[in-house]
Amino acid sequence: TLVASDAGKSVPSTSGGWTVPNNVFSAGDAVTLINASGSDMTITQASGFNLYDSANAGATGNRTLATRGIATIYFVSGGGAYITGAGLS
C-alpha cells in the first residue's frame, strides 16, 4: 500500500503490486510506479478512491501494469487521481 511519504518518488516493486489508498495523498502529489518484475502486476484502487485512467476515457478501477512497465499517478484530491503510463491497461 502506498504511503504519504511516497509522494514525489518512484516506487518499484518486484512482487505483489500496489494499493492506492483513499485520503492519504493531497492534491498535486504524484507517485511513479515501476514494475521491476518479469510478470504483470495489479494497481488496486482502494475502497472510496477513484483512479481515473487517462487513456481509457477516464474509466475508474484497478489497473494492470505490464512487465517492466512504468506508470505515474497524479492526485487531484485525497480521493481521486489520474494514472498514465507505458504498459498500463
Side-chain angles (χ1 to χ4, degrees):
T1 300
L2 297 174
V3 295
S5 62
D6 290 329
K9 298 179 182 175
S10 60
V11 182
S13 181
T14 57
S15 65
W18 307 264
T19 298
V20 184
N22 190 24
N23 291 321
V24 170
F25 294 92
S26 299
D29 286 346
V31 176
T32 297
L33 308 178
I34 300 170
N35 182 344
S37 79
S39 59
D40 293 354
M41 286 194 199
T42 301
I43 303 165
T44 303
Q45 170 187 284
S47 177
F49 189 80
N50 289 304
L51 185 60
Y52 300 104
D53 185 350
S54 298
N56 189 14
T60 63
N62 297 342
R63 297 287 165 236
T64 300
L65 190 57
T67 301
R68 309 293 178 208
I70 186 168
T72 297
I73 302 171
Y74 179 80
F75 293 85
V76 293
S77 70
Y82 291 84
I83 187 167
T84 189
L88 187 64
S89 62

